[in-house]
Amino acid sequence: MNIRKQTSPPRLGSQDAFTLVELLITMVISSFVIASIYSAYQVQQRQYTNQAQVVEMQQNLRAAMQFITSELRMAGYDPRGTSGAGFLEAKGHKVQFTKDTVNGSGTAERGDGLLTGAMEDVFFGFDPADDTDNDGEADSGSASLMLSQDYDSSAPNSSNYRDIADNIHAIEFSYNMADGTTSTAPSDLSNIDSITVSILARAKHPDSSFTNSTVYTTGGTNSWGPFNDNYRRRLLVTNIKCRNMGL
């Protein structure tokens, strides 16, 4: 006859379990791991945000410069030779010109000898309210770069403005004359051969971990910076041939 050996229940002290000290150590290690993961996430998020701002600046600059270039190349366009198209103002901080590009029925590129059509009187620069000292730098640090039709320098009307780029810190127009000289305020507007346009864009938001100590040299006679602030900036400089001037 088999006799079953009776076993005693396990004692409480022999059960597998975490002690209070082990739990505390685990919690401390877990908190360090979580803090490291969160810190890495913050760094990556900041880098992504900064890169997105740089891309936005570059897109702003390229789009604005492409538009300005296409328009300035048409300055003085006068296919009938009777409209008197040309530059009306040529300053370091702004430029205004005319072009006879539409006829009476609105057909483009043919002209009608008049300068009353859409986009035949063009102004580029800041709204005067954003650049009160006319130095080509936005008074508040950045502003929209504007296009205006039928601009009147004696009584500028902000309702005529249309922004072509946001968060622009500064702009400079430098005029290269037919006689080889360069000026930001030429007296003989008919002698303008080409224009060097410099546009400085600023990031929308500052980055506390970044300090901008760069000096930005324009294509003309100016320079901007160092600003010693936390804003990233990008400079784009392009020379534009005024192919319809001096003909």
Side-chain angles (χ1 to χ4, degrees):
M1 178 173 121
N2 294 329
I3 300 176
R4 181 179 298 175
K5 184 178 180 181
Q6 186 177 2
T7 59
S8 59
R11 291 176 301 173
L12 183 62
S14 66
Q15 291 180 343
D16 293 333
F18 292 108
T19 65
L20 179 60
V21 173
E22 290 173 330
L23 286 174
L24 290 175
I25 293 174
T26 302
M27 291 176 63
V28 170
I29 294 174
S30 298
S31 65
F32 277 117
V33 172
I34 293 173
S36 299
I37 294 174
Y38 182 70
S39 178
Y41 168 78
Q42 282 188 313
V43 170
Q44 291 179 349
Q45 183 66 20
R46 188 182 301 114
Q47 290 176 343
Y48 172 81
T49 301
N50 292 336
Q51 186 61 35
Q53 290 193 63
V54 170
V55 170
E56 183 180 12
M57 280 192 294
Q58 292 173 335
Q59 289 176 337
N60 259 338
L61 282 173
R62 284 196 291 264
M65 190 66 80
Q66 183 177 9
F67 186 70
I68 292 174
T69 298
S70 65
E71 289 296 315
L72 276 176
R73 282 176 176 166
M74 296 301 294
Y77 181 70
D78 188 7
R80 296 177 182 266
T82 58
S83 70
F87 286 96
L88 302 180
E89 273 197 291
K91 305 294 184 183
H93 65 288
K94 63 181 179 180
V95 63
Q96 184 184 7
F97 56 92
T98 55
K99 51 191 175 67
D100 185 17
T101 55
V102 298
N103 61 21
S105 61
T107 303
E109 301 297 339
R110 296 182 181 178
D112 59 0
L114 303 174
L115 299 172
T116 56
M119 289 297 293
E120 289 193 331
D121 185 338
V122 181
F123 162 91
F124 287 116
F126 287 122
D127 185 321
D130 292 324
D131 182 18
T132 55
D133 55 2
N134 298 327
D135 66 348
E137 296 188 56
D139 296 340
S140 62
S142 70
S144 295
L145 186 60
M146 309 300 290
L147 157 74
S148 176
Q149 297 184 56
D150 303 322
Y151 175 82
D152 183 354
S153 60
S154 62
N157 183 359
S158 295
S159 64
N160 292 333
Y161 295 138
R162 187 177 80 217
D163 64 295
I164 59 173
D166 298 323
N167 302 312
I168 301 302
H169 179 96
I171 188 167
E172 182 195 75
F173 299 97
S174 180
Y175 305 91
N176 308 302
M177 314 305 288
D179 60 5
T181 60
T182 299
S183 174
T184 53
S187 56
D188 184 4
L189 303 186
S190 64
N191 197 32
I192 297 174
D193 181 69
S194 67
I195 303 176
T196 301
V197 181
S198 306
I199 307 177
L200 182 65
R202 194 185 79 169
K204 187 175 183 179
H205 301 291
D207 177 8
S208 59
S209 64
F210 171 79
T211 300
N212 189 337
S213 57
T214 304
V215 175
Y216 300 90
T217 303
T218 70
T221 60
N222 205 357
S223 63
W224 298 309
F227 301 101
N228 296 317
D229 60 13
N230 303 121
Y231 286 94
R232 286 180 167 80
R233 292 173 175 81
R234 291 293 184 272
L235 175 67
L236 184 60
V237 180
T238 299
N239 183 261
I240 304 166
K241 175 70 175 179
C242 301
R243 57 193 181 190
N244 297 296
M245 298 299 297
L247 299 179

